[in-house]
Amino acid sequence: MLKKLFQSFRSPLRKPQQHVRTTPEVLSSSQHSLQRNQFSRYAVNIVERLQTAGYQAYLVGGCVRDMMLGITPKDFDVATSATPEQIRAEFRNARIIGRRFKLVHIHFGREIIEVATFRANHPIDDEDEDSNQSSRNESGRILRDNVYGTLEDDAQRRDFTINALYYDPVTERVLDYANGVHDIRNRLIRLIGDPQQRYKEDPVRMLRAVRFAAKLDFGIEKHSATPIRPLAPMLRDIPSARLFEEVLKLFLSGYAEATFEMLVDLELFEPLFPASSKALEYNPTYTHTLISEALANTDLRIKQNKPVTPAFLFAALLWPALPARVLRLQERGMPPIPAMQEAAHELITEQCQRIAIPKRFTMPIREIWDMQERLPRRSGKRADLLLENPRFRAGYDFLLLRELAGEETDGLGEWWTDYQDANDSGRRDMIRDLGSKPDATGQGPRKRRRSSSGKRKRAGVDGAE
Ligand code: ATP
Ligand code: MG
């Protein structure tokens, strides 16, 4: 009885929503805002040639969605009934890529158009005839989705309604199988089909929901939002290399600050960054400010077309988790500097089990952190040597970030700002003035005791504790 009540209470959330029709809604050119000449002429040309050769072909996905919203698309994707081999036979400049699922890249100078053959979802419980392996694991996650299908199948297997719009630049018609146009008008991210099942098939869709909601400033429709918190831990089973790619998209698309807020709110941040998530709990203001300021700054740089480095981003995302570890190691008797080194090493190693950050980024993360140790030590020739260090700029920016988040550094950021602006004699004066301070390292009066080597007594993460 109770169970039944519970089920009937749950049913509005669990009932599969019929968002995919077998016949699409067809919008003629007067019923939508798209214009053929807004799309990449190469992509339009590919569609025309495939259609002339007798295949079905459409522009699809992000480019149609973004165009409808007046956003310049990142790239243009084509979906077609032609197989990769048939596509390659039509285009000399085509390359088949991907092993698990073949795609075709057609090259036009620097522009690449991705052409994909219509795909279908593996039905639940379907057994793969060749290998006798199931296409899903026990939690419903799709392991292989390398089956070709019809146009309808292709619409059905896509993630969100707004991503399942097909534009035919020849007839200038839009095919809408999933009420995507309705959701674009109402600014809603809505999964196609039963949300819980679709997230279980591919938990990364939870991250994609957040990414599109932040990028487009859309809401996540209620039934698509509700299963996210309970299913968030499923992200722990996603291969760390795939998560690295997804996290870069989340934080390097120009909407990182809003994305971060949403990830935390939907409890998706914890499975991605477990240590930082703990820091958010025990040191909320500092951690939140440092991470969101770093992300806001990244967003700004992207808008200004300035380069951004994932290393700086990861350095900021992980930094607030360091002090507790440094302290723990120090309590076990490890001296400050080795404790800092060891904590950094441990933290990065642990993080890489979730998100496979490549070595070309973990090295600079360590360097940015090491620089925090060195920036206070400016006497003699040290300041000038630091300025010449290729990592100085990142280290200095990181110091300013820490100060912005409320860390007490005794004016160190301002000192370095002035030092960079000063001429030679100005610089000499600044170094000399350091010597007249009680602490020649410029630490201020509190820390008089120094070891004979002049090393700081504590790791440079003090204020974060
Ligand atoms: P953008 O490229 O602007 O980030 P997009 O919608 O083009 O957005 P892509 O990751 O390039 O996103 O994917 C292209 C299309 O493939 C999507 O629009 C969607 O229809 C489909 N798709 C991508 N990933 C998934 C997924 N995990 N599950 C189902 N469909 C997906
Ligand atoms: Mg795309």
Side-chain angles (χ1 to χ4, degrees):
M1 172 66 182
L2 252 180
K3 197 175 166 200
K4 212 165 177 189
L5 252 178
F6 185 61
Q7 275 174 348
S8 65
F9 170 72
R10 292 277 298 262
S11 65
L13 292 185
R14 307 196 68 205
K15 198 172 166 204
Q17 305 206 325
Q18 285 314 311
H19 282 294
V20 172
R21 327 143 175 264
T22 40
T23 52
E25 175 144 18
V26 181
L27 286 85
S28 66
S29 63
S30 62
Q31 292 169 296
H32 62 76
S33 59
L34 303 180
Q35 279 170 0
R36 185 197 342 231
N37 59 13
Q38 296 172 308
F39 289 83
S40 149
R41 65 191 168 95
Y42 301 123
V44 171
N45 184 262
I46 290 169
V47 170
E48 283 171 348
R49 278 171 66 180
L50 286 167
Q51 289 190 5
T52 309
Y55 304 108
Q56 291 171 284
Y58 298 92
L59 290 153
V60 69
C63 69
V64 182
R65 175 199 71 213
D66 288 355
M67 274 311 188
M68 282 205 168
L69 288 160
I71 300 171
T72 310
K74 254 187 7 209
D75 43 40
F76 295 87
D77 297 328
V78 172
T80 177
S81 59
T83 64
E85 288 73 19
Q86 288 170 330
I87 302 164
R88 197 175 48 184
E90 293 295 323
F91 300 92
R92 270 190 308 126
N93 44 346
R95 263 180 232 151
I96 296 182
I97 58 147
R99 256 183 292 159
R100 193 185 72 144
F101 195 86
K102 287 183 194 164
L103 292 169
V104 181
H105 277 178
I106 306 187
H107 294 252
F108 298 91
R110 286 177 61 196
E111 195 171 330
I112 297 175
I113 308 290
E114 193 169 286
V115 186
T117 307
F118 294 149
R119 272 196 263 173
N121 257 335
H122 265 277
I124 297 173
D125 301 330
D126 181 36
E127 293 283 315
D128 190 306
E129 282 171 18
D130 298 334
S131 62
N132 208 24
Q133 283 178 314
S134 174
S135 55
R136 293 166 193 258
N137 72 2
E138 63 286 352
S139 59
R141 185 147 69 86
I142 291 186
L143 303 174
R144 281 165 290 118
D145 55 356
N146 47 352
V147 199
Y148 297 137
T150 62
L151 173 56
E152 291 75 26
D153 295 331
D154 192 73
Q156 182 124 31
R157 63 102 193 157
R158 287 181 187 269
D159 46 10
F160 305 106
T161 61
I162 58 167
N163 285 349
L165 294 167
Y166 296 75
Y167 177 59
D168 179 348
V170 178
T171 61
E172 299 193 73
R173 293 190 310 183
V174 171
L175 305 187
D176 182 359
Y177 283 91
N179 286 328
V181 173
H182 171 271
D183 286 338
I184 284 185
R185 290 202 181 114
N186 292 289
R187 307 186 78 80
L188 282 177
I189 306 293
R190 187 199 307 268
L191 273 172
I192 294 172
D194 175 42
Q196 194 164 334
Q197 183 194 326
R198 298 305 309 280
Y199 289 136
K200 283 184 176 172
E201 283 173 359
D202 181 5
V204 168
R205 288 174 185 150
M206 297 187 274
L207 299 179
R208 290 175 57 85
V210 169
R211 176 154 70 88
F212 293 127
K215 168 181 161 165
L216 307 172
D217 194 19
F218 275 30
I220 302 178
E221 183 273 334
K222 197 174 75 199
H223 299 89
S224 295
T226 314
I228 294 182
R229 285 189 192 91
L231 295 181
M234 284 188 80
L235 283 176
R236 293 187 191 136
D237 302 328
I238 301 297
S240 55
R242 183 170 179 213
L243 282 186
F244 174 71
E245 297 299 326
E246 287 301 326
V247 164
L248 284 195
K249 287 189 204 165
L250 284 169
F251 291 137
L252 292 178
S253 306
Y255 305 89
E257 199 187 0
T259 299
F260 170 62
E261 297 299 337
M262 230 180 280
L263 288 176
V264 172
D265 179 37
L266 291 171
E267 297 171 19
L268 292 164
F269 189 67
E270 199 282 333
L272 297 177
F273 293 93
S276 314
S277 179
K278 271 207 196 79
L280 262 181
E281 273 169 36
Y282 60 70
N283 197 356
T285 312
Y286 174 79
T287 306
H288 189 272
T289 315
L290 188 122
I291 294 178
S292 27
E293 288 290 346
L295 297 175
N297 188 44
T298 307
D299 290 344
L300 187 67
R301 290 182 68 88
I302 289 171
K303 284 192 183 79
Q304 297 169 335
N305 278 322
K306 289 186 184 166
V308 285
T309 147
F312 190 87
L313 211 64
F314 281 108
L317 281 158
L318 296 174
W319 175 262
L322 265 183
R325 280 159 198 261
V326 177
L327 210 64
R328 205 177 57 216
L329 293 168
Q330 280 188 262
E331 278 165 7
R332 283 194 223 145
M334 204 183 267
I337 303 268
M340 169 76 178
Q341 297 290 335
E342 176 62 21
H345 173 74
E346 270 180 18
L347 180 59
I348 290 178
T349 310
E350 263 177 51
Q351 181 60 46
C352 283
Q353 287 169 2
R354 287 291 161 84
I355 296 175
I357 310 170
K359 241 209 170 81
R360 67 176 186 282
F361 298 130
T362 57
M363 292 289 287
I365 295 172
R366 292 292 300 269
E367 286 163 10
I368 290 170
W369 289 349
D370 286 347
M371 191 64 87
Q372 305 313 300
E373 282 299 308
R374 299 169 61 186
L375 284 168
R377 306 205 296 267
R378 294 154 286 174
S379 56
K381 293 213 179 313
R382 284 176 174 158
D384 287 331
L385 283 174
L386 273 182
L387 264 189
E388 286 166 20
N389 188 310
R391 216 53 83 182
F392 172 81
R393 184 72 210 189
Y396 162 75
D397 284 345
F398 202 84
L399 169 67
L400 297 186
L401 183 67
R402 289 165 51 207
E403 291 181 346
L404 209 58
E407 247 183 272
E408 189 47 65
T409 65
D410 202 15
L412 190 58
E414 201 185 346
W415 189 93
W416 274 108
T417 309
D418 293 343
Y419 194 76
Q420 291 174 80
D421 289 342
N423 58 19
D424 278 352
S425 76
R427 286 182 180 182
R428 274 197 300 277
D429 290 346
M430 286 178 77
I431 300 294
R432 200 189 47 236
D433 289 348
L434 283 178
S436 65
K437 281 198 168 191
D439 183 330
T441 60
Q443 289 291 298
R446 276 175 294 123
K447 294 175 187 160
R448 276 163 199 268
R449 276 189 306 127
R450 283 167 56 212
S451 64
S452 53
S453 65
K455 279 185 179 168
R456 291 184 59 199
K457 272 289 174 198
R458 298 181 62 181
V461 287
D462 317 20
E465 281 160 29

